[in-house]
Amino acid sequence: EDSKTKRAQDAKLMMDKEGHKADLESELQKSSMEHKSTLKADMDKAEQIKDLHLECDWLEANFEARKEAHSGEVESLKKAKAVLSGADFSLVQGASSVRRALRGATAK
C-alpha cells in the first residue's frame, strides 16, 4: 500500500509539474510575442526619430538661405503692391502707349 500511495502521489506531483510547465511555456511564448511587438514598435519609433533629426538638420542648414529668399519675396510683393496702388505707373503707361501706337500703325 505504501508503494501504491507513493506512486499515486508521484503521478499527481508529476501532473501538477507538467501543468505548471505548460503554464510557464505559454507565458514564455506570450512574453516572447510581446517582446517582438515591443521591439518592432521601438525600431519604428527610432526610425521616426532619425527622420525627424535629418529633417531638422536640413532646416537648420538651409535656414539662412530660406530666410533670405523669403525676405526677397516679401520685398517683391511690397513693390508689386506699391505699383498696383499707383506708386509708379510709368512702366504700365509706357506699355499701353506702345500698344496704342501699334494698333494705330496696323490700322493705317
Side-chain angles (χ1 to χ4, degrees):
E1 273 184 40
D2 286 340
S3 63
K4 192 176 188 182
T5 307
K6 174 83 169 132
R7 270 185 275 147
Q9 287 175 345
D10 287 345
K12 183 178 181 330
L13 184 63
M14 193 162 208
M15 286 176 50
D16 289 346
K17 286 189 176 188
E18 285 177 354
H20 186 65
K21 180 183 172 190
D23 290 343
L24 289 175
E25 285 175 345
S26 172
E27 194 174 316
L28 176 64
Q29 186 176 13
K30 180 182 174 190
S31 294
S32 177
M33 297 290 278
E34 288 174 356
H35 175 71
K36 287 178 184 176
S37 174
T38 302
L39 187 61
K40 182 176 178 350
D42 288 348
M43 290 174 67
D44 290 343
K45 191 60 71 175
E47 184 72 21
Q48 286 178 335
I49 290 170
K50 181 191 77 145
D51 291 343
L52 284 173
H53 187 63
L54 289 172
E55 187 177 339
C56 286
D57 287 346
W58 184 86
L59 287 171
E60 285 180 348
N62 294 302
F63 177 75
E64 286 301 320
R66 291 171 47 115
K67 182 178 168 183
E68 288 174 19
H70 183 263
S71 295
E73 289 174 7
V74 168
E75 190 62 35
S76 295
L77 288 172
K78 285 180 182 177
K79 287 178 184 176
K81 184 178 175 184
V83 167
L84 291 175
S85 62
D88 185 14
F89 274 113
S90 62
L91 293 175
V92 176
Q93 290 173 351
S96 64
S97 34
V98 168
R99 272 191 234 122
R100 269 189 256 128
L102 288 175
R103 284 186 197 146
T106 56
K108 290 182 181 179

